Amino acid sequence: MILRSTMRAAAAGAALALVGAVAMSAARAQQVQPVQPVQPADTGVARAPQAATQAEALHVLDRLGYGPTPGEVARVMQIGVERYIDEQLHPERIALPPSLEQQLAALDTTQLSQRQLIVGLREAQRAAKTEGESGQTERREWLRRVGEEAAQARLARAVHSPRQLQEVMVDFWFNHFNVFIGKGVDRVLVADYEREAIRPYALGRFRDLLGATARHPAMLFYLDNWLSVAPGYRPPRALAGTPSGLNENYARELMELHTLGVDGGYTQHDVTELARMLTGWTFEPRRTSGASTFRFDAARHDDGDKVWRGRRVAAGGQSEGEWALDVLAADPATARHISFELAQYFVADQPSAALVERLTRRYLASGGDIRAVLATLFASAEFRDPAARGVKFKTPYQYVVSALRAAELPTGNVRPLLGALNQLGMPLFGCQTPDGYKNTEQAWLNPDAVTRRVAFATALAAGRLPLVRAPAAARGGSADEIDAFTAPLSADALLDTLGGGISAATRATIARAPQGLQAAMVLGSPDFMRR
């Protein structure tokens, strides 16, 4: 409601001018050819430390993270690009601000175990069936609280954490291994999925990441592998009515999206055989030992003979699936698929074949070490080429987070931000299809989307979004906390933070606008919509 009313109140002339400017910028960008390699390096060997130009500093801040906060450009210029990249590749060496740690610690549901989350959902569902309207209210409140706290944890880290590359890679891998928050038990599991299956492995080895996602109940439920059983399996009476039979959903996406790619050299027979190898991979919500509810149920497993991708598979229970993950993670097609996606995210929508090939070789030589592949990418001539700067159009998520960082705004109340992401077409954790959200210009640049971004920029700049959770006593309220609005933004402060990221031509246009619209025009400018 806040964002829609702000859209009606926004100055139409300024919005149309910004929309037109972005459209013209997009037309020019579509003429840009893929960046060509210039004496590419084969490994990520760091150059001698040296101060960075402002343009170089902005480039790494925009690509390795979600853009600069006040004073950050000057810091990177001082320490140099090489040191900044090295810091970001080792997030464990970067301390989190105490304020962020306190904010995260206060999000109680993000600390709950898988079992506690699932049991909480089932209790809420039971109350909804037996206690009428009060039970329905209890169920809605439980789901709202879990979902909002998951979103607050994600957005707080993305906006306030100095470990920016880690946050970028968490978002990257969540999209690569996407699960949808709107499906069944996944409504309460996305925060745990991110915390247990994505975040610890975001800069580690791909095989570890692949296994963690494969065994997490959020993935098992989302792609139905928890129901996949051998032919003829009959569930115990307690589970009567549970769907039975082989389910190929996860096996197909495991090869097509997670590893080999659509052209990775597998057949429908391979999908079926892999699905058979993964029968019995399920989860048990009542399990009380360990942090995970994953369970291999030997009774559900298909122990029959299998031939997968031309290889005979010996019967081995859970080890069959683990072996398949080993093979898939080490396959050159997987290395190429992952390398292309990384190059597309960090360099250009259509990265050069030479860069993808070098990243592929590094992946294979390092055993799928994500940190090593990224080091090679960040050292590449393609990434460092000035022609690569500003050619990537921000996704709605990147746009919203970068605006909050540039303005150094709080994330105490994320409801307006979640509403904005919904209206911009990218609900947080809300991609329904297993391929996740795209990060290309074609996916996000259209006139309606730009208009909505301008409306968000106008609301944010005018201080019309209640992003603060303030003690009610200080505001005359009766509840413990109430939502409070932020102050209007300063265009001068934004321009100082963003430096050369806002061109001279855009600055001249902003300077001619009424003062009350200038901050909105900075955030709604075509320059700010790119990274």
Side-chain angles (χ1 to χ4, degrees):
M1 288 296 294
I2 294 170
L3 195 56
R4 284 197 293 271
S5 62
T6 303
M7 289 178 66
R8 292 193 294 268
L16 289 174
L18 286 169
V19 171
V22 174
M24 292 175 62
S25 174
R28 289 195 299 270
Q30 289 173 351
Q31 299 172 7
V32 176
Q33 298 300 315
V35 178
Q36 298 301 315
V38 181
Q39 298 181 351
D42 203 37
T43 63
V45 178
R47 298 178 296 183
Q50 57 183 345
T53 66
Q54 187 182 86
E56 290 171 335
L58 281 165
H59 183 56
V60 294
L61 288 167
D62 278 337
R63 295 296 175 88
L64 274 68
Y66 294 112
T69 56
E72 203 165 14
V73 172
R75 176 182 179 270
V76 176
M77 290 176 65
Q78 180 182 17
I79 68 173
V81 164
E82 309 302 338
R83 179 175 167 186
Y84 179 76
I85 290 174
D86 184 65
E87 287 178 351
Q88 292 299 311
L89 285 169
H90 298 90
E92 68 280 0
R93 303 175 185 172
I94 305 174
L96 292 179
S99 58
L100 175 58
E101 291 186 320
Q102 292 169 7
Q103 184 177 359
L104 295 174
L107 303 175
D108 295 335
T109 64
T110 65
Q111 318 299 323
L112 297 178
S113 68
Q114 293 171 12
R115 178 181 176 277
Q116 289 171 319
L117 289 163
I118 296 171
V119 169
L121 174 62
R122 290 186 170 179
E123 289 177 350
Q125 290 172 330
R126 190 180 304 112
K129 291 180 179 179
T130 61
E131 299 177 17
E133 184 57 34
S134 64
Q136 294 284 357
T137 301
E138 178 182 335
R139 174 181 174 277
R140 287 193 296 268
E141 174 58 24
W142 172 249
L143 291 174
R144 182 204 63 76
R145 184 183 171 199
V146 172
E148 279 192 12
E149 290 194 355
Q152 188 167 3
R154 165 69 84 85
L155 288 169
R157 286 190 173 100
V159 174
H160 305 302
S161 175
R163 302 171 181 174
Q164 281 287 283
L165 179 60
Q166 182 180 46
E167 298 313 311
V168 163
M169 293 308 298
V170 165
D171 181 60
F172 176 89
W173 290 123
F174 195 101
N175 281 308
H176 183 85
F177 295 103
N178 184 58
V179 299
F180 173 49
I181 195 173
K183 181 176 179 179
V185 72
D186 283 356
R187 287 175 290 182
V188 297
L189 286 178
V190 290
D192 185 87
Y193 178 65
E194 180 180 296
R195 182 185 67 202
E196 301 295 333
I198 302 290
R199 185 170 294 278
Y201 311 101
L203 291 166
R205 292 194 176 274
F206 181 76
R207 171 60 180 87
D208 296 333
L209 175 63
L210 184 65
T213 59
R215 290 185 291 271
H216 197 280
M219 181 64 74
L220 291 166
F221 185 87
Y222 174 58
L223 290 178
D224 304 316
N225 201 79
W226 74 296
L227 297 174
S228 188
V229 298
Y233 170 80
R234 292 293 179 266
R237 182 176 300 177
L239 297 178
T242 300
S244 61
L246 188 68
N247 191 297
E248 299 181 353
N249 288 351
Y250 177 63
R252 178 175 292 103
E253 306 306 353
L254 176 58
M255 290 194 286
E256 179 178 329
L257 297 177
H258 299 172
T259 57
L260 305 174
V262 66
D263 299 320
Y266 60 89
T267 66
Q268 175 55 42
H269 175 77
D270 294 326
V271 172
T272 300
E273 295 296 85
L274 181 57
R276 293 177 63 204
M277 295 161 70
L278 291 168
T279 48
W281 287 48
T282 186
F283 66 99
E284 175 50 65
R286 297 178 181 85
R287 186 171 182 172
T288 58
S289 61
S292 173
T293 59
F294 170 79
R295 180 170 73 95
F296 176 74
D297 186 345
R300 299 186 181 199
H301 182 65
D302 185 338
D303 272 327
D305 292 338
K306 308 175 186 74
V307 177
W308 178 61
R309 303 187 74 202
R311 311 184 205 189
R312 187 166 298 281
V313 181
Q318 182 179 344
S319 64
E320 294 177 28
E322 297 289 354
W323 173 77
L325 296 181
D326 291 342
V327 172
L328 289 170
D331 196 287
T334 297
R336 187 168 295 105
H337 181 53
I338 300 302
S339 295
F340 176 85
E341 288 192 345
L342 289 170
Q344 184 182 67
Y345 186 96
F346 286 103
V347 178
D349 287 2
Q350 294 298 325
S352 71
L355 174 61
V356 174
E357 179 59 30
R358 289 199 308 283
L359 298 182
T360 301
R361 292 200 302 268
R362 186 63 179 140
Y363 178 103
L364 294 171
S366 67
D369 187 326
I370 299 164
R371 194 191 325 263
V373 175
L374 288 174
T376 298
L377 189 157
F378 299 146
S380 70
E382 291 88 345
F383 178 79
R384 302 295 180 96
D385 193 329
R389 299 169 189 164
V391 300
K392 290 286 295 181
F393 190 72
K394 293 176 182 177
T395 68
Y397 180 77
Q398 293 164 348
Y399 177 70
V400 169
V401 172
S402 64
L404 294 168
R405 283 178 58 77
E408 212 168 27
L409 288 172
T411 53
N413 176 30
V414 296
R415 292 186 190 180
L417 303 177
L418 297 179
L421 288 169
N422 288 343
Q423 291 198 24
L424 294 174
M426 195 177 186
L428 189 58
F429 310 127
C431 184
Q432 298 184 34
T433 56
D435 53 346
Y437 289 121
K438 303 295 186 294
N439 70 82
T440 60
E441 180 176 299
Q442 183 179 12
W444 299 111
L445 179 55
N446 61 74
D448 179 65
V450 171
T451 301
R452 291 174 182 268
R453 291 191 185 202
V454 171
F456 170 75
T458 303
L460 194 69
R464 293 177 182 150
L465 300 184
L467 302 178
V468 180
R469 295 292 288 168
R475 310 271 302 183
S478 57
D480 292 336
E481 288 186 333
I482 61 173
D483 299 336
F485 294 90
T486 56
L489 302 182
S490 163
D492 290 340
L494 289 172
L495 291 170
D496 184 59
T497 296
L498 299 171
I502 305 299
S503 68
T506 299
R507 287 171 179 264
T509 300
I510 292 169
R512 291 193 294 269
Q515 188 172 6
L517 289 175
Q518 289 182 1
M521 294 185 72
V522 174
L523 299 179
S525 68
D527 300 352
F528 190 73
M529 291 194 195
R530 294 190 173 275
R531 61 183 183 94

